[in-house]
Amino acid sequence: VQLVESGGGLVQPGGSLRLSCAASGFSFSKYAMSWARQAPGKERELLASIDSNGGITKYADSVKGRITISRDNSRNTVILQMNYLKPDDTAVYYCTTQTLWAVRVDMDYWGQGTQVTVSS
């Protein structure tokens, strides 16, 4: 299993960023996927999950309304669109096979992460 994130970078407060995760090595279209983040000095936090078909999503209260998760099963890709970014959103963002619905012991995979820095 390989999860490779991209799209991170430096963005000003109030700006937007689109993160992408390329998945390989497993039957991507059969599994729900998620995005998570870990800020300096804080625990890793699951932000958003999407079901295998892309029809059902779930968001953490901390980011609800500002982010959108989507997927393209034809390209084995998961997308995280983030808007109205704040300095507190500065973190390393991860793609993962874990979900907000349940902890998976059989599919516990994480990408290497992509850094997002929100600063003026």
Side-chain angles (χ1 to χ4, degrees):
V1 173
Q2 192 169 21
L3 302 171
V4 180
E5 302 93 339
S6 61
L10 175 65
V11 61
Q12 292 188 341
S16 299
L17 211 55
R18 184 176 182 267
L19 307 181
S20 181
C21 170
S24 62
F26 66 108
S27 298
F28 177 78
S29 63
K30 294 183 179 180
Y31 292 92
M33 297 291 296
S34 301
W35 282 93
R37 70 183 178 190
Q38 186 166 22
K42 295 187 178 180
E43 293 187 356
R44 194 172 292 187
E45 173 191 18
L46 280 170
L47 300 176
S49 297
I50 187 166
D51 75 332
S52 59
N53 294 322
I56 300 173
T57 57
K58 184 177 175 67
Y59 297 95
D61 288 341
S62 60
V63 293
K64 195 176 293 184
R66 296 193 298 118
I67 70 170
T68 303
I69 187 171
S70 61
R71 66 190 294 161
D72 183 346
N73 284 347
S74 69
R75 297 183 178 184
N76 285 12
T77 301
V78 186
I79 303 296
L80 186 70
Q81 177 68 41
M82 302 189 293
N83 301 317
Y84 309 109
L85 286 163
K86 303 180 288 187
D88 284 350
D89 293 319
T90 295
V92 178
Y93 284 71
Y94 298 92
C95 179
T96 177
T97 54
Q98 290 292 348
T99 77
L100 286 166
W101 290 294
V103 174
R104 284 191 170 132
V105 294
D106 57 332
M107 283 288 288
D108 183 22
Y109 297 101
W110 297 76
Q112 84 290 346
T114 185
Q115 176 71 45
V116 171
T117 302
V118 184
S119 175
S120 55

